[in-house]
DNA sequence: TTGATCATGTAATGTGTTACATGATTCA
DNA sequence: TGAATCATGTAACACATTACATGATCAA
């Protein structure tokens, strides 16, 4: 699934201009699909060229004209087809977990900062999701509700896990950092001890 | 954090050849950092050219010689520096959640298949992590333990969430699919109803 | 007067994915 | 006989990130 397809999906719900789509990515998809102008605008041009959306310009004063994109029937069919075909990849890439894996090579203060920061980011994500998916606000779709709940649940589980288990990393056995090479070498020659 | 840096990190724990690194990515990092040969081999060549690792060839019969890479002191310093600097980005990209967001445009049987598949993938991930991070096996590092626990916790939370909330998506209000265009258009002209 | 919001986009760069290419050995 | 494992890599392609470029309005 690429940005192009997701733009088409958003346009299947409502016509919009690039700027609005960007805001939707930031509010509704922030926790599981990122996209910037650099991929959204080319995607829209591409969709228009393929006849999957129509574009109509709405002049404004003081600003560039809005280019409002509306999905075509071909676009709608294309999107539903793409939804059915795509293998549902769910992929995490986490520099945070990489850093934690190598926690014993990180300075102790730095490590605590990283942990604190990550916890507050998960809390922030929870708050963000709550703000954009309040059930009482303008009748939210079932899909949006499900996805928001998923994001909240996972973020809370993650934050809670870190809070409860950070001690594993923090009480370390006489940490050896860059200064003392000999001991590091000796302690890592062991096979299969990754 | 790129594949190059992570390779360097693995080599900071043990010397290894590209093939072994790939296996490590698949076993230990599978749930939060993917990499294939197409990025690992070039990364190793790059690291060697930069003097961050040394390479020694070990001939074998019947197979190409193993190229065993060993980290240098410069490499070790470089890695610890990278660990300290990198902002700890934790990023999810999920086609599965995209599909769920648009669940009402998916055929009902297909939807259930997707949900079932995703649940079993989370279960599979849990099993996978357990296999590679048994505390009783060869003294696992604190970092590895923490990361494995994180992966397990999150995967279980995710699977459990889907099981408990799939009904939100499945009991749908008289689903309209591609066949009936008029009604779809009428029901989505509403502003802000993403 | 500073920064945020609205609104468009391009260009260079970086990075990863996928498919291809080779080939012996071992296990079922 | 066929598939998996070990072991190396390259090349084409797709894709996204980042920085750049422009510029008016409005609220603090």
């Amino acid at each position: 699934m690429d940005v192009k397809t997701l733009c088409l999906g958003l346009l299947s719900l409502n016509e919009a201009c690039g700027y609005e789509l960007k805001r939707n990515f930031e509010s509704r998809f922030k926790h599981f699909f990122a996209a910037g102008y650099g991929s959204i605008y080319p995607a829209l041009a591409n969709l228009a060229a393929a006849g999957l959306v129509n574009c109509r310009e709405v002049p404004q004063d003081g600003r560039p004209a809005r280019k409002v994109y509306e999905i075509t029937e071909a676009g709608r069919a294309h999107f539903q087809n793409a939804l059915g075909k795509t293998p549902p990849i769910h992929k995490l890439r986490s520099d945070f977990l990489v850093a934690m894996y190598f926690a014993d090579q990180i300075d102790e203060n730095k490590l605590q900062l990283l942990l604190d920061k990550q916890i507050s980011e998960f809390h922030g994500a929870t708050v963000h999701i709550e703000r954009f998916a309040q059930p009482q606000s303008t009748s939210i779709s079932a899909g949006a509700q499900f996805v928001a709940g998923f994001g909240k649940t996972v973020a809370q589980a993650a934050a809670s896990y870190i809070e409860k288990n950070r001690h594993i990393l923090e009480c370390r056995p006489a940490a050896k950092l860059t200064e003392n090479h000999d001991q590091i070498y000796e302690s890592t020659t062991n096979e299969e001890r990754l």
Side-chain angles (χ1 to χ4, degrees), chain A residues 56-166:
Chain A
R56 112 182 153 257
E57 290 205 25
V58 181
Q60 301 180 111
D61 41 54
R63 300 189 213 298
R66 298 179 74 219
K67 288 190 168 183
V68 179
Y69 293 89
E70 186 181 9
I71 196 166
T72 62
E73 303 219 2
R76 213 169 273 279
H78 182 91
F79 177 62
Q80 284 179 15
N81 192 256
L83 260 192
K85 268 189 191 161
T86 316
I89 294 160
H90 182 85
K91 196 159 64 179
L92 176 65
R93 154 145 318 188
S94 174
D95 291 4
F96 165 71
L97 290 177
V98 170
M100 293 310 105
Y101 194 93
F102 296 103
D104 54 357
Q105 290 182 61
I106 300 179
D107 167 80
E108 195 144 358
N109 297 321
K110 181 81 190 176
L111 176 63
Q112 300 205 6
L113 279 177
L114 284 178
L115 288 163
D116 291 339
K117 198 175 166 186
Q118 193 60 49
I119 289 171
S120 74
E121 247 162 62
F122 281 126
H123 285 322
T126 306
V127 170
H128 174 90
I129 292 169
E130 275 165 353
R131 195 166 56 225
F132 284 98
Q134 290 166 337
Q136 74 271 27
S137 81
T138 51
S139 66
I140 189 173
S141 79
Q145 210 181 306
F146 179 86
V147 165
F150 184 97
K152 249 180 78 175
T153 301
V154 168
Q156 280 167 351
S160 159
Y161 175 84
I162 298 175
E163 279 161 4
K164 285 178 194 151
N165 295 281
R166 57 188 299 170

Side-chain angles (χ1 to χ4, degrees), chain A residues 181-192:
Chain A
H181 294 294
D182 304 322
Q183 304 212 3
I184 291 175
Y185 280 107
E186 280 177 297
S187 67
T188 55
T189 31
N190 191 346
E191 280 280 313
E192 288 301 321

Side-chain angles (χ1 to χ4, degrees), chain A residues 2-14 21 25 43-44 47 51-53 70-72 74-80 82:
Chain A
D2 52 17
V3 174
K4 208 170 79 180
T5 310
L6 232 188
C7 285
L8 194 56
L10 282 173
L11 292 174
S12 82
L13 301 175
N14 261 120
L21 288 179
F25 272 96
L44 288 172
L47 289 170
L52 302 176
V53 298
E70 186 181 9
I71 196 166
T72 62
R76 213 169 273 279
H78 182 91
F79 177 62
Q80 284 179 15

Side-chain angles (χ1 to χ4, degrees), chain A residues 28-55:
Chain A
R28 297 173 163 78
F29 297 155
K30 199 189 181 194
H31 60 103
F32 64 93
F33 208 107
Y37 292 125
S39 37
I40 292 173
Y41 283 118
L44 288 172
N46 196 306
L47 289 170
L52 302 176
V53 298
N54 290 322
C55 175

